[in-house]
């Protein structure tokens, strides 16, 4: 139980385009989801906390207009990287709070902007 | 504020030997502690957690961790390492008294188990 599905696992896009990443809780309702960014050989940096039905809470230094988060239902949160640039290339991971072990993580999305 | 320190970037151990991956934490209230493992280009897999109760917590794949309040530590251990344990390990903490649900991660420790 407590599975989080994240898609796509890999995406390559051209500079200036937008990319949407989906995070779904498959067998539980996730009122709160988190979006992280991970640079090579580094830890996870929290980007934002996504709450169902309300605006996301962004961490300091994260551009709200660039990283659009939508949490329209109890099972789906999306992260859209708008006008992507090569420096946005990274590994993005979502997480949802569950009742079993606290937090379940998606499998991550490798974004490459060319 | 909450923080986690993993002092070792990498831990090397021979297969069959015991392993320890160190973690210390800092919270103003009571800690909610986790260990996760990450394989290349994958998300994080839950290993174990501590909220309250026995200081020795047993988790997945034969791993265990010992909560030490006086030393504010939560070291990950395994009696006999396997080559397949080679991966990146993260310690994480949440302050149960803060009212916030966010986890703070350590920088990660790469575990390399040699045959």
């Amino acid at each position: 139980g407590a599975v989080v599905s994240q898609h796509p696992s890999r995406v390559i896009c051209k500079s200036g385009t937008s990319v949407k990443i989906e995070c779904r809780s498959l067998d539980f309702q996730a009122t709160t989801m988190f979006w992280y960014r991970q640079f090579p050989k580094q830890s996870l940096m929290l980007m934002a906390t996504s709450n169902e039905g309300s605006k996301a809470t962004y961490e300091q230094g994260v551009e709200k207009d660039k990283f659009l988060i939508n949490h329209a239902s109890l099972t789906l949160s999306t992260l859209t990287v708008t006008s992507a640039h090569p420096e946005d290339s990274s590994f993005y991971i979502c997480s949802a709070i569950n009742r079993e072990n606290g937090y379940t993580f998606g499998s991550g999305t490798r974004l490459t902007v060319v | 504020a909450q923080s986690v320190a993993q002092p070792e970037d990498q831990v090397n151990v021979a297969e069959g030997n015991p392993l320890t991956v160190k973690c210390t934490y800092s919270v103003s209230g009571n800690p909610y502690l986790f260990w996760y493992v990450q394989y290349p280009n994958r998300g994080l897999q839950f290993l174990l957690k501590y909220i309250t109760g026995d200081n020795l917590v047993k988790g997945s794949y034969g791993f265990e961790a010992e909560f030490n309040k006086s030393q504010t530590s939560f070291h990950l251990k395994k009696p006999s390492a396997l080559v397949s344990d080679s991966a990146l390990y993260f310690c994480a903490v949440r302050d149960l008294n803060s009212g916030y649900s966010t986890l703070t991660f350590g920088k990660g420790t790469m575990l390399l188990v040699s045959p």
Side-chain angles (χ1 to χ4, degrees), chain B residues 40-60:
Chain B
N41 290 311
R42 301 295 299 276
L44 273 64
Q45 295 179 29
F46 171 79
L47 284 179
L48 50 80
K49 66 177 179 180
Y50 172 84
I51 303 178
T52 186
D54 289 340
N55 289 341
L56 184 63
V57 180
K58 294 188 181 296
S60 306

Side-chain angles (χ1 to χ4, degrees), chain A residues 8 10 13-14 16 29 34 40 63 70 79 90 96 99 110:
Chain A
R10 291 177 179 270
C13 70
K14 291 185 178 181
Q29 293 182 333
F34 305 93
E63 298 178 59
N70 184 282
L79 168 67
S90 193
R99 294 184 179 180
R110 172 72 60 193

Side-chain angles (χ1 to χ4, degrees), chain A residues 38 43 100 103 106-107 110, chain B residues 34 38 41 43 49 94 101 106:
Chain A
Q38 186 180 28
S43 189
E100 288 185 20
Y103 301 81
S107 55
R110 172 72 60 193
Chain B
F34 298 83
Q38 185 181 34
N41 290 311
K49 66 177 179 180
R94 170 187 162 186
S101 56

Side-chain angles (χ1 to χ4, degrees), chain A residues 18-19 30-31 34 37 40 43-45 51 53 61 65 74-75 82-83 97-98:
Chain A
S18 296
V19 173
T31 306
F34 305 93
R37 183 173 180 176
S43 189
L44 281 72
M45 301 298 295
N51 296 297
D65 296 333
L74 286 171
T75 59
T82 63
S83 187
I97 295 179
N98 70 78

